[in-house]
Amino acid sequence: MVLLVIDAQQGICNEKLYRFDAFVSTVQTLISVAREKDVEVVFVRHDDGEGKLLTKGNAAFAIFDAFAPLPSEKIFDKKVNIVNDGTNPLIKLKNNENILQFLSFSSKIMDSKFGAIFSKDINRLHYILGDSYQLFIPQNDKI
């Protein structure tokens, strides 16, 4: 088991977050309990690229001080472009060779492709990226 702490960076974790104090307290508790139980804690930082706030070298890029990783804990950096421009992101991603799609494996996955083409539910539209790598995460619903 691993606790992933994603995008918990100086430039993101601030008073602008809804219920900031509760958020910080909850994440600190999760990290503390994981460490007590010998669960690996892994941090993932978001890198927006050169010239942006969340870029290597900027103070905002660092892990939020209250969640500081131990020297033995791993930190990974990610550059992910979130498609949010009004177009269908699946169609844009379809021709990209470097896609790993994470999906919950539920009864929706088993629905027919024909019925799914009218859906906006990402779990029903997984077939669009069928030529890419897909990781199906088991769920507890009935299949």
Side-chain angles (χ1 to χ4, degrees), residues 48-104:
D48 277 332
E50 193 173 328
K52 304 286 184 168
L53 178 68
L54 297 177
T55 302
K56 282 185 183 180
N58 286 350
F61 184 72
I63 301 294
F64 184 59
D65 290 338
F67 310 147
L70 299 177
S72 62
E73 292 172 336
K74 296 175 186 150
I75 302 173
F76 294 96
D77 297 332
K78 66 177 175 66
K79 290 185 178 185
V80 176
N81 181 21
I82 304 298
V83 179
N84 192 16
D85 61 5
T87 62
N88 183 332
L90 293 177
I91 300 300
K92 271 189 154 179
L93 295 173
K94 185 174 182 176
N95 298 318
N96 190 326
E97 295 178 6
N98 300 315
I99 296 293
L100 172 59
Q101 182 182 17
F102 291 85
L103 296 158
S104 59

Side-chain angles (χ1 to χ4, degrees), residues 20-140:
F20 173 71
D21 293 331
F23 166 75
V24 171
S25 176
T26 300
V27 174
Q28 286 176 320
T29 299
L30 287 168
I31 292 171
S32 177
V33 170
R35 289 172 176 160
E36 287 172 17
K37 303 289 183 184
D38 291 323
V39 171
E40 184 177 12
V41 179
V42 175
F43 294 84
V44 180
R45 295 181 295 204
H46 180 75
D47 186 345
D48 277 332
E50 193 173 328
K52 304 286 184 168
L53 178 68
L54 297 177
T55 302
K56 282 185 183 180
N58 286 350
F61 184 72
I63 301 294
F64 184 59
D65 290 338
F67 310 147
L70 299 177
S72 62
E73 292 172 336
K74 296 175 186 150
I75 302 173
F76 294 96
D77 297 332
K78 66 177 175 66
K79 290 185 178 185
V80 176
N81 181 21
I82 304 298
V83 179
N84 192 16
D85 61 5
T87 62
N88 183 332
L90 293 177
I91 300 300
K92 271 189 154 179
L93 295 173
K94 185 174 182 176
N95 298 318
N96 190 326
E97 295 178 6
N98 300 315
I99 296 293
L100 172 59
Q101 182 182 17
F102 291 85
L103 296 158
S104 59
F105 189 82
S106 66
S107 57
K108 293 177 185 178
I109 298 294
M110 305 305 288
D111 288 346
S112 74
K113 181 177 173 181
F114 178 75
I117 62 173
F118 300 107
S119 177
K120 293 182 180 180
D121 186 332
I122 189 69
N123 289 322
R124 294 193 68 205
L125 295 172
H126 68 89
Y127 69 88
I128 293 174
L129 298 177
D131 292 335
S132 302
Y133 294 103
Q134 296 180 328
L135 177 63
F136 294 94
I137 303 167
Q139 297 296 308
N140 291 331

